Amino acid sequence: MTNLKHTDDKKQKNLVTSFYKSFKSFSASLPVFIGIVLLLGLFRVNVSPQLISSIFRGDFFWDVILGSTIGSISAGNPITSYIIGAELLKEGVSLFAVTAFIVAWVTVGIIQFPAESAILGKQFALKRNLISFILAILVSLATVTVLMMIR
Amino acid sequence: MKDKIEKEKEKGRWISLYFLGLVIILYLFIFGLNIENAYNSLKASGDIFVKLIPVLFLVVFLMGLLNYFLRPKAISKYLGKDSGARGWILAVLAGIISHGPIYAWYPLLKELRKQGMRQGLAAVFLYNRAIKIPLLPVMIYYFGIAFTVILLVFTVIASLVEGKVIDMSEA
């Protein structure tokens, strides 16, 4: 906090420019935000839990990968993913697949990808989403295996 | 160097405008096919946007404070190359505490990175946004407490693995 030594006058000026700078760099991201929100609206109206659950087949590995894939494409409030996940369990989809689905829902963002790569860089966004996709599967395998062991 | 940064900025601006343009074209297309669907989607988007506004204000405010208080030196100490365990813990906690949609936080991360934060820590922050304290009761309600606790532990571990891999790929 070296800036505490600054004179009051200079401090005030800095505070204003600091906020101006933050507003400016934020407003540059606004078109992407609006685009993402519009996509999320489309998603909410057109993709129903029934549609998602109709894709699972009952094959263990296929369903886990599918869970992670659908979670990656989907976006929105995590609560929605819990509700869909619980529905999927009721319909007989495995907990492995459902866990991969709810983890990928929050950690991989295909819909947000354009925003992430425009703001944080394409390389970073690609790497992060790819690793998160694989990790969703591994986290699901680890979580459900441990859960089965303690039960 | 400065030219390069300006060029990158310009490029980013165009990409974001192209993206918005494509989404608008998609909407126009759906509007032609099914007016009601397009209208409902627009309405849903409006709802999402209204909920987003407070978070956007919070992020702009935090970015302003950050610009004002933090100097690159402090950032490199806490979040830079030599930040060590302190950096990891800070990124995990910040990811858990921060709320609102993930994309609202991209500009803040960009700002921090410009000032010397490690790439891996940005990834750790983003991964830990999977853990939201206010949502935990909901998760426990649907999946049980044992599942929730185990999942949280593995989520934090996975975030650190991801951060490490991204840092290594940068080196």
Side-chain angles (χ1 to χ4, degrees), chain B residues 18-32:
Chain B
Y18 279 139
F19 170 65
L20 180 60
L22 279 177
V23 176
I24 291 172
I25 290 170
L26 181 68
Y27 259 87
L28 288 176
F29 186 68
I30 294 169
F31 200 79

Side-chain angles (χ1 to χ4, degrees), chain B residues 67-140:
Chain B
N67 275 334
Y68 180 60
F69 281 114
L70 284 181
R71 293 291 169 263
K73 221 173 149 185
I75 300 213
S76 66
K77 185 176 164 199
Y78 291 105
L79 301 167
K81 275 202 177 83
D82 304 315
S83 56
R86 191 158 49 178
W88 294 114
I89 296 169
L90 218 60
V92 169
L93 292 179
I96 294 175
I97 295 167
S98 62
H99 65 281
I102 203 160
Y103 46 93
W105 295 90
Y106 296 154
L108 182 77
L109 291 177
K110 185 183 177 183
E111 197 68 42
L112 281 171
R113 257 191 11 200
K114 234 173 26 195
Q115 300 191 38
M117 181 178 64
R118 269 189 288 153
Q119 291 262 41
L121 292 184
V124 171
F125 172 86
L126 290 173
Y127 204 96
N128 278 290
R129 298 195 27 86
I131 306 174
K132 288 279 90 35
I133 292 164
L135 299 187
L136 288 186
V138 188
M139 194 187 246
I140 292 170

